[in-house]
Amino acid sequence: MASGIFCMSPLAGETAFSFLGRVAARYGLDEAALLTHWQWRGHRLRHESGALRADAEVLLDAAGRQVLARLCGVGEEVLGRALPAWGLDDERLTARAGGNGPQAAWRVGGAVAGPVAFGCRLCAARRTGAPVRAMRYAQRWERVCVRHGRWLLDADADQPLEFLDMSGLPEMAAAQRRWVRVARRAVRAGVGPGEVFAVAWAVVCRWWDLALEWPDERVWPARLHTLAGGDASGDFWRWRAVARDAAVFPEVVEVVRALLDPVMAELVWRDSGAGRPRALPADGAFCRRLGERVGRGWLGPLAAVDFGGPLIAWMGAVIRRRRGVAVPPGHQDGPWWVRRELQPPSMAAQLRALTKEARLPGSGTVWRSAVAPERRALIGNLLDDAEEQLIQLRGAQRGSSAEAAERLLKGLGCGIDRLQQAVRETVGAALEAGVRVEDVAAWAGLSPDALAEVLGDGGRAVR
């Protein structure tokens, strides 16, 4: 094949498929026409709705890479530095090594080199002369385009928006500038910036979910409406999913700063009783100071009692490390590790859940549609509280018999109380959702009379 007549360079971090599409446009070709230069393994990726995925990626074999290099008129070493997927292998290509002609395989970008986001078209225009669409591998701390006042969205979701306008939110650009300094601090502390960001992101996204029940929260509702173009009420739940990562970004950066601060870690140690272990108090100095740092002086007591959440998990890991508590074999522990169940769902996952609920309305089909979000959050918090109480008992069987028994019984009693409250709330929610009393009683292992006693005064309706 002869060399191409145009010289085109990829954008830093661009997906290979995005670059391939821009090459096709430069030649005035339909994208499908350019794809005929390779023999493809697999099919073009689509969403459940049938729409093509914007985060699609392609892996090329050696011959396929040579074809693209000739078409764009740029050396393979340049492409290798700019395209994260360049040179990566796919077993489908390896199995056909030595086959007829250059080959390529379809992949989901997120499974190749990390999350894929839409690029800023205005920034692309500065490089290419045209506001073309481009997809780039970008972590969540790389989504702010300070120059053009945009938050760049995930490309893996089945929704049409490429960015959110944040020009009316100066705190977003300020947070992006602070993040550069915070990331350097993380490196100096021997922590990967991505690790500490993941913990802070989990903590703040947890607050975002709970904030629906916080009457004092004023910042996020206003920021959400601004990101939605002035009013999110027309499609509230969708906007909460689409704009969440942007809306919480300034607080995430501040929480990262706090978690890296040795003074804040010392407050955790003191709140735990230091050399004389005790349960974390609701008025602890660490949570109170953390609330002040994110501009919410009222948040401390609420964060302190969110047992089972990612913040308490981080505090517990800090305390265990300070006390030298050994991690049982087969377990993972540490301040910068977030358990899978505490990792926030992505925008794409939230939108898929909303779509599913819209297709299956009614109390007899989807729990989330039938039970109020406040009650679901309460049940979740009670379960998390019980779990954290039990986790705190790890290593409690030491010291004198009286001390060990006191720690165990108090911890178990608190955990049992939380579980009993969770049972009452779940029973009430199931009945309100229209589940038969007989079924609820059987699942709870109770008679109808005992079920009424569990519900207390509200149980008259089940008799």
Side-chain angles (χ1 to χ4, degrees), residues 23-102:
V23 171
R26 186 70 178 86
Y27 278 93
L29 295 175
D30 181 82
E31 195 175 77
L34 190 66
L35 297 183
T36 60
H37 284 82
W38 295 268
Q39 295 180 18
W40 291 91
R41 302 290 170 251
H43 299 281
R44 181 81 178 271
L45 302 172
R46 297 177 179 271
H47 292 289
E48 292 182 2
S49 66
L52 294 172
R53 292 188 64 129
D55 66 331
E57 180 59 291
V58 296
L59 299 184
L60 308 172
D61 67 357
R65 292 192 291 272
Q66 292 174 6
V67 170
L68 183 54
R70 286 195 293 267
L71 285 171
C72 68
V74 175
E76 290 193 42
E77 65 281 358
V78 175
L79 296 174
R81 288 195 296 269
L83 303 176
W86 190 263
L88 297 182
D89 293 325
D90 185 282
E91 60 182 11
R92 292 170 294 178
L93 301 179
T94 304
R96 293 294 297 266
N100 297 323

Side-chain angles (χ1 to χ4, degrees), residues 379-400:
I379 293 172
N381 288 341
L382 291 169
L383 295 175
D384 290 340
D385 291 352
E387 179 186 17
E388 185 61 28
Q389 289 296 327
L390 297 178
I391 290 175
Q392 292 295 329
L393 296 180
R394 182 187 298 169
Q397 299 187 66
R398 64 176 186 271
S400 70

Side-chain angles (χ1 to χ4, degrees), residues 247-455:
V248 303
F249 182 66
E251 286 75 17
V252 172
V253 174
E254 185 56 42
V255 171
V256 170
R257 292 182 61 204
L259 299 186
L260 289 171
D261 189 343
V263 174
M264 296 294 285
E266 183 64 25
L267 293 179
V268 174
W269 177 241
R270 294 179 184 176
D271 287 342
S272 72
R276 304 184 65 181
R278 66 180 182 185
L280 292 170
D283 60 347
F286 169 78
C287 288
R288 183 173 64 253
R289 179 64 184 129
L290 183 61
E292 293 169 354
R293 290 185 66 151
V294 296
R296 294 160 174 81
W298 46 266
L299 178 58
L302 296 174
V305 298
D306 183 24
F307 299 107
L311 181 61
I312 301 297
W314 179 85
M315 296 171 68
V318 169
I319 294 167
R320 290 190 291 274
R321 175 173 290 186
R322 187 74 176 266
R323 290 179 181 158
V325 177
V327 179
H331 288 72
Q332 188 172 356
D333 194 15
W336 313 118
W337 173 66
V338 183
R339 300 198 306 270
R340 181 178 296 275
E341 62 271 19
L342 295 180
Q343 296 173 12
S346 66
M347 176 180 71
Q350 294 179 81
L351 292 178
R352 284 195 298 269
L354 291 173
T355 300
K356 183 178 179 181
E357 291 174 18
R359 292 173 180 170
L360 298 172
S363 62
T365 53
V366 180
W367 175 265
R368 181 168 174 151
S369 298
V371 180
E374 296 81 7
R375 192 161 212 168
R376 296 198 314 270
L378 176 58
I379 293 172
N381 288 341
L382 291 169
L383 295 175
D384 290 340
D385 291 352
E387 179 186 17
E388 185 61 28
Q389 289 296 327
L390 297 178
I391 290 175
Q392 292 295 329
L393 296 180
R394 182 187 298 169
Q397 299 187 66
R398 64 176 186 271
S400 70
S401 298
E403 291 172 342
E406 181 182 11
R407 283 194 296 269
L408 285 168
L409 291 174
K410 285 185 176 180
L412 289 170
C414 189
I416 290 171
D417 178 65
R418 297 291 194 279
L419 289 175
Q420 288 175 337
Q421 293 180 52
V423 169
R424 287 195 293 271
E425 292 297 330
T426 303
V427 166
L431 293 176
E432 290 181 4
V435 181
R436 295 193 314 159
V437 174
E438 295 80 3
D439 291 336
V440 174
W443 297 333
L446 301 169
S447 66
D449 288 340
L451 187 66
E453 294 179 4
V454 168
L455 294 174

Side-chain angles (χ1 to χ4, degrees), residues 102-356:
Q103 300 178 61
W106 292 106
R107 292 286 297 276
V108 174
V112 173
V116 178
F118 292 101
C120 175
R121 290 187 182 237
L122 298 180
C123 288
R126 288 172 57 87
R127 283 283 311 276
T128 66
V132 295
R133 190 176 86 159
M135 268 62 69
R136 299 176 55 248
Y137 290 100
Q139 299 292 341
R140 286 185 174 81
W141 56 84
E142 301 173 314
R143 302 301 180 84
V144 174
C145 177
V146 176
R147 182 187 298 273
H148 300 113
R150 293 178 170 184
W151 175 273
L152 306 173
L153 292 169
D154 290 341
D156 64 341
D158 189 4
Q159 60 89 34
L161 297 177
E162 296 184 13
F163 67 91
L164 299 176
D165 184 359
M166 60 174 210
S167 57
L169 300 169
E171 67 269 27
M172 303 289 290
Q176 184 65 58
R177 288 188 286 267
R178 285 200 308 274
W179 166 254
V180 177
R181 298 191 296 272
V182 173
R184 295 196 192 105
R185 182 185 302 178
V187 173
R188 290 195 298 269
V191 184
E195 294 178 283
V196 67
F197 186 93
V199 174
W201 182 55
V203 168
V204 180
C205 286
R206 172 82 164 199
W207 293 346
W208 171 264
D209 291 336
L210 299 176
L212 291 170
E213 305 172 34
W214 293 345
D216 293 322
E217 179 55 53
R218 296 288 186 272
V219 176
W220 283 338
R223 196 178 292 163
L224 174 62
H225 286 295
T226 300
L227 291 168
D231 185 9
S233 59
D235 199 352
F236 179 73
W237 292 105
R238 175 182 168 275
W239 277 114
R240 270 186 62 85
V242 171
R244 181 199 62 188
D245 291 348
V248 303
F249 182 66
E251 286 75 17
V252 172
V253 174
E254 185 56 42
V255 171
V256 170
R257 292 182 61 204
L259 299 186
L260 289 171
D261 189 343
V263 174
M264 296 294 285
E266 183 64 25
L267 293 179
V268 174
W269 177 241
R270 294 179 184 176
D271 287 342
S272 72
R276 304 184 65 181
R278 66 180 182 185
L280 292 170
D283 60 347
F286 169 78
C287 288
R288 183 173 64 253
R289 179 64 184 129
L290 183 61
E292 293 169 354
R293 290 185 66 151
V294 296
R296 294 160 174 81
W298 46 266
L299 178 58
L302 296 174
V305 298
D306 183 24
F307 299 107
L311 181 61
I312 301 297
W314 179 85
M315 296 171 68
V318 169
I319 294 167
R320 290 190 291 274
R321 175 173 290 186
R322 187 74 176 266
R323 290 179 181 158
V325 177
V327 179
H331 288 72
Q332 188 172 356
D333 194 15
W336 313 118
W337 173 66
V338 183
R339 300 198 306 270
R340 181 178 296 275
E341 62 271 19
L342 295 180
Q343 296 173 12
S346 66
M347 176 180 71
Q350 294 179 81
L351 292 178
R352 284 195 298 269
L354 291 173
T355 300
K356 183 178 179 181

